[in-house]
Amino acid sequence: MAAKSRERMVGVDRILSKLQSNIEAGNYYEAHQMYRTIYFRYLSQKKYKELLDLLYEGSSTLLKLCQHNSGADLANLLVDVLTKAGSLVTSEDLGKSLML
């Protein structure tokens, strides 16, 4: 089981690296799709804290780059995670959602 967990981590790290490359190259649609891919992976693993941080960063980045629809989509996913995480949500997490 530990080997499977390491494989997942390597897979997510690879996606995060590609995601950053796409942002830098201006391939925002591809970056948005990668954020969504990680969203589904982390959500299924109930990695709420990591997911909240990722979605906040992604939404903020895309909104700053005038990718309003993509940024808003990630912000909506962030609200979805806040709902699903329930009592695991901190006041800091809520504050981030209000800053978008």
Side-chain angles (χ1 to χ4, degrees), residues 17-52:
S17 177
K18 286 182 183 180
L19 189 156
Q20 188 59 37
S21 295
N22 278 313
I23 293 283
E24 292 168 3
N27 300 324
Y28 305 129
Y29 175 80
E30 289 83 358
H32 178 221
Q33 293 309 307
M34 290 180 170
Y35 277 115
R36 291 185 62 83
T37 297
I38 297 169
Y39 162 79
F40 287 110
R41 287 189 184 184
Y42 278 4
L43 189 63
S44 69
Q45 297 169 22
K46 297 184 179 182
K47 291 186 173 184
Y48 299 126
K49 179 63 177 154
E50 294 90 341
L51 187 50
L52 289 169

Side-chain angles (χ1 to χ4, degrees), residues 9-92:
M9 292 292 291
V10 169
V12 170
D13 286 344
R14 188 173 60 246
I15 293 170
L16 288 171
S17 177
K18 286 182 183 180
L19 189 156
Q20 188 59 37
S21 295
N22 278 313
I23 293 283
E24 292 168 3
N27 300 324
Y28 305 129
Y29 175 80
E30 289 83 358
H32 178 221
Q33 293 309 307
M34 290 180 170
Y35 277 115
R36 291 185 62 83
T37 297
I38 297 169
Y39 162 79
F40 287 110
R41 287 189 184 184
Y42 278 4
L43 189 63
S44 69
Q45 297 169 22
K46 297 184 179 182
K47 291 186 173 184
Y48 299 126
K49 179 63 177 154
E50 294 90 341
L51 187 50
L52 289 169
D53 292 342
L54 178 84
L55 291 171
Y56 174 76
E57 183 267 326
S59 182
S60 297
T61 297
L62 291 171
L63 289 170
K64 287 176 189 171
L65 294 168
C66 296
Q67 300 300 305
H68 301 117
N69 289 337
S70 295
D73 178 59
L74 296 183
N76 285 332
L77 293 177
L78 187 143
V79 171
D80 180 60
V81 173
L82 288 170
T83 302
K84 289 179 177 165
S87 63
L88 301 174
V89 174
T90 66
S91 58
E92 179 185 343

